[in-house]
Amino acid sequence: MLFEKDYFLTGKINEECGVFGVFNVKDAASLTYFGLHALQHRGQEASGIATSNKKEIKCIKGRGLLTETFNNRVIKELKGVHAVGHVRYSTAGGNEIENIQPIMVRSHKGDFAVSHNGNIVNAKELREEMENNGSIFQGTSDSEIIGHLIQREQGDFVEKIRKAVLHLEGAFAFVVMRENEMYAVRDHNGLRPLSVAKVDNGYVVSSESCAFDIVNGREEFDVLPGELLKIDYNGIQHIQYAEKTQLKMCAMEYIYFSRPDSSIDGINVHTARKLSGRMLAKIDKEAGDVEADIVVGVPDSSLSAAMGYAEESGLPYELGLIKNRYVGRTFIQPTQAQRERGVRMKLSAVRDIVKGKRIILVDDSIVRGTTSKRIVQLLKDAGATEVHVRIGSPAITHPCFYGVDTSSRKELISARKNNEEVRDFIIADSLKFLEVDKMMEAFETENLCVACFNGVYPTDLFNLGVQLKEEIENER
Ligand code: SF4
């Protein structure tokens, strides 16, 4: 059955994956299920859990939401005190069953399971080189490349992983489980988040710290850029595998992807969003060019920023838009009218609140512009007299190659139109984005990847860079 990626309907960008690992905790599969449930927003196309009973690894995975593959009966089949799990949104590799993670690598030297989040930018080059040397791939995902690289290296397992990751360029945060060991690795730019917490006498590893609460995780910390953790019965060994490291956390994790109750590299996501809203309000106050009655956020990821805007501006924060939480995944919708209905199924304007009002509408980002336009239309149809759109991030002008599904500039309205043209397209009365420097000032950090806003990528892009250059040249 074909499912439409949310992107086409909502105009929002999607992240690729969430990973979760459990080491030495009773009922590891159940814990992983709960952890993945908290990470479901990071991927709804497929999920999987592999467990180790200390002697062998068993893996079950399937398409769709976690609840479509796992129930009590299935979880009971996954015995063991160690587990690794994954929720998937596919951008690298399709949604074929072979690409669903954890990826299992079985060999006479011992089996292991890999769960990975992010995109490897030199995947094509690595795959070609390995295929020329006899490697056979089952699927098309980057994660399988990681498995192959680890398997072909020599030395003890730490050494194998250390040598393998030195071949990788791009964004990766992954967990590897062997029968009695677990490893957690983050790329040398720290582009994707990965955190660890203690649970009883064991440990849990997660893409986001929001998953620790439900499993009673404590003493949590982030895996550092360029760090490899070995987790076994002796505790945690920290190994710095990369000499040159920097923190360039994906800014979109704070702006849009992560849950507000997660903290990434010491910054709480809700707080960061509120600060971005406050900054937007400060900019408006200084410019003195807009008058409004209420502040409305686009649910859910923009509500924190809207609260921040309201606090700073002194305007009332109102629930002008309501999200229908039971829409679920959306089928391919071929006509404009059906797409229109799709947005109205997901969002409704609260007529009594917005009628006759001048609204500051706070959203997190604009990708194609079509969703923003529909939301502005929704508010105006409900009687809003003015809609001033304020975006809690800079204009997206470049594609992301690090695990977010904006692979072409063609999809990005701000790559083709200036601010006034975008404003006109989304039928807003005014439009402002948060510039890169103001966003960093608001978040109080410069340790961010902002490549999709300014085209300065923190890694080499290999073949993808050549394609991007060609695309930009063809636009001229
Ligand atoms: S390019 Fe944008 S979406 Fe991609 S990692 Fe960097 S900040 Fe995140």
Side-chain angles (χ1 to χ4, degrees):
M1 191 184 293
L2 282 172
F3 287 104
E4 185 185 32
K5 284 187 176 182
D6 258 6
Y7 173 72
F8 292 102
L9 183 75
T10 65
K12 292 294 182 187
I13 47 182
N14 290 284
E15 174 142 29
E16 202 180 353
C17 302
V19 302
F20 196 81
V22 174
F23 184 82
N24 195 28
V25 186
K26 207 169 149 245
D27 295 331
S30 302
L31 234 64
T32 305
Y33 176 86
F34 290 124
L36 290 178
H37 202 266
L39 299 177
Q40 186 82 80
H41 59 287
R42 297 181 74 88
Q44 299 98 43
E45 288 191 0
S47 64
I49 299 175
T51 52
S52 163
N53 62 4
K54 300 187 182 181
K55 294 193 189 85
E56 58 181 9
I57 297 176
K58 182 171 181 180
C59 184
I60 295 177
K61 45 197 182 179
R63 288 196 178 89
L65 296 169
L66 198 61
T67 47
E68 290 175 68
T69 301
F70 296 98
N71 54 32
N72 274 340
R73 184 187 54 74
V74 177
I75 292 285
K76 273 190 190 138
E77 287 177 33
L78 289 166
K79 300 196 181 353
V81 290
H82 316 312
V84 65
H86 194 267
V87 286
R88 175 172 175 78
Y89 179 87
S90 57
T91 57
N95 197 27
E96 296 83 31
I97 198 86
E98 295 79 16
N99 289 337
I100 299 175
Q101 300 186 46
I103 298 285
M104 283 300 307
V105 180
R106 301 207 183 267
S107 94
H108 64 280
K109 293 178 192 161
D111 300 343
F112 63 92
V114 183
S115 280
H116 160 242
N117 172 216
N119 263 27
I120 309 298
V121 290
N122 58 340
K124 185 171 175 282
E125 290 80 1
L126 285 170
R127 178 181 285 263
E128 275 172 13
E129 184 236 292
M130 283 190 279
E131 280 177 345
N132 288 339
N133 287 319
S135 294
I136 296 167
F137 287 84
Q138 307 289 322
T140 52
S141 74
D142 289 0
S143 321
E144 206 181 337
I145 294 173
I146 297 173
H148 273 273
L149 279 171
I150 295 171
Q151 198 180 18
R152 78 170 187 182
E153 293 296 348
Q154 301 298 320
D156 65 17
F157 211 77
V158 167
E159 199 55 13
K160 282 161 84 73
I161 296 183
R162 200 187 63 75
K163 286 180 184 163
V165 289
L166 291 176
H167 294 283
L168 303 173
E169 188 61 278
F172 53 88
F174 66 86
V175 180
V176 179
M177 180 184 71
R178 298 181 81 201
E179 278 93 345
N180 278 300
E181 290 161 5
M182 185 163 283
Y183 300 83
V185 186
R186 201 167 164 205
D187 69 73
H188 65 97
N189 290 302
L191 279 155
R192 293 278 155 245
L194 195 63
S195 306
V196 180
K198 266 191 94 82
V199 173
D200 301 332
N201 293 322
Y203 298 93
V204 286
V205 184
S206 175
S207 287
E208 279 184 50
S209 62
C210 66
F212 292 148
D213 260 4
I214 194 155
V215 298
N216 290 325
R218 59 185 206 281
E219 297 171 38
E220 59 196 64
F221 62 91
D222 296 297
V223 181
L224 299 175
E227 192 176 44
L228 155 62
L229 302 187
K230 179 184 179 187
I231 307 171
D232 62 15
Y233 296 111
N234 298 318
I236 298 185
Q237 197 184 332
H238 296 253
I239 301 141
Q240 197 66 38
Y241 71 82
E243 280 175 17
K244 274 176 69 180
T245 63
Q246 59 176 350
L247 181 56
K248 288 285 168 195
M249 166 51 56
C250 167
M252 290 305 287
E253 290 281 355
Y254 293 110
I255 294 161
Y256 173 61
F257 298 133
S258 297
R259 261 182 36 174
D261 50 340
S262 286
S263 289
I264 307 169
D265 295 313
I267 302 173
N268 168 255
V269 172
H270 166 71
T271 307
R273 288 181 191 162
K274 255 184 109 171
L275 290 170
S276 71
R278 276 187 172 273
M279 185 59 80
L280 283 166
K282 270 185 210 157
I283 293 166
D284 270 343
K285 256 203 243 172
E286 279 163 23
D289 57 356
V290 64
E291 284 188 7
D293 303 306
I294 56 171
V295 181
V296 171
V298 178
D300 286 321
S301 50
S302 308
L303 298 181
S304 306
M307 283 175 205
Y309 190 106
E311 277 182 15
E312 183 67 32
S313 65
L315 291 171
Y317 167 79
E318 279 290 3
L319 220 56
L321 290 166
I322 297 289
K323 186 175 178 183
N324 180 356
R325 294 179 193 286
Y326 305 102
V327 176
R329 288 177 299 158
T330 42
F331 296 94
I332 290 281
Q333 302 192 346
T335 69
Q336 190 62 22
Q338 283 164 315
R339 286 185 181 205
E340 192 70 34
R341 200 172 306 122
V343 164
R344 284 175 192 267
M345 272 170 74
K346 286 198 167 177
L347 278 181
S348 308
V350 186
R351 191 172 291 270
D352 289 342
I353 299 293
V354 305
K355 195 173 172 205
K357 298 286 184 355
R358 296 167 301 175
I359 295 172
I360 298 285
L361 177 69
V362 181
D363 203 353
D364 46 57
S365 54
I366 295 183
V367 185
R368 298 199 307 178
T370 43
T371 304
S372 305
K373 182 178 183 165
R374 289 183 196 128
I375 295 171
V376 173
Q377 188 69 62
L378 206 62
L379 290 169
K380 290 195 168 176
D381 288 349
T385 54
E386 291 175 23
V387 180
H388 300 275
V389 176
R390 296 295 178 265
I391 304 295
S393 67
I396 301 174
T397 53
H398 287 73
C400 174
F401 301 109
Y402 303 128
V404 172
D405 68 346
T406 53
S407 56
S408 165
R409 275 166 61 92
K410 282 198 284 288
E411 299 164 347
L412 306 169
I413 190 169
S414 292
R416 294 177 280 107
K417 293 180 188 287
N418 65 30
N419 201 71
E420 178 54 21
E421 288 167 338
V422 177
R423 184 208 60 74
D424 189 47
F425 179 80
I426 66 170
I427 57 168
D429 293 275
S430 73
L431 167 68
K432 277 184 198 164
F433 291 90
L434 199 59
E435 299 299 329
V436 169
D437 58 335
K438 290 291 175 192
M439 178 181 71
M440 288 181 171
E441 194 183 324
F443 291 176
E444 293 174 9
T445 181
E446 293 187 356
N447 298 331
L448 298 171
C449 170
V450 289
C452 52
F453 312 123
N454 65 7
V456 181
Y457 294 86
T459 70
D460 192 343
L461 293 180
F462 297 85
N463 186 48
L464 298 168
V466 178
Q467 286 171 19
L468 175 61
K469 217 168 145 197
E470 277 171 14
E471 196 181 348
I472 291 173
E473 271 163 19
N474 288 339
E475 287 168 9
R476 292 192 181 126

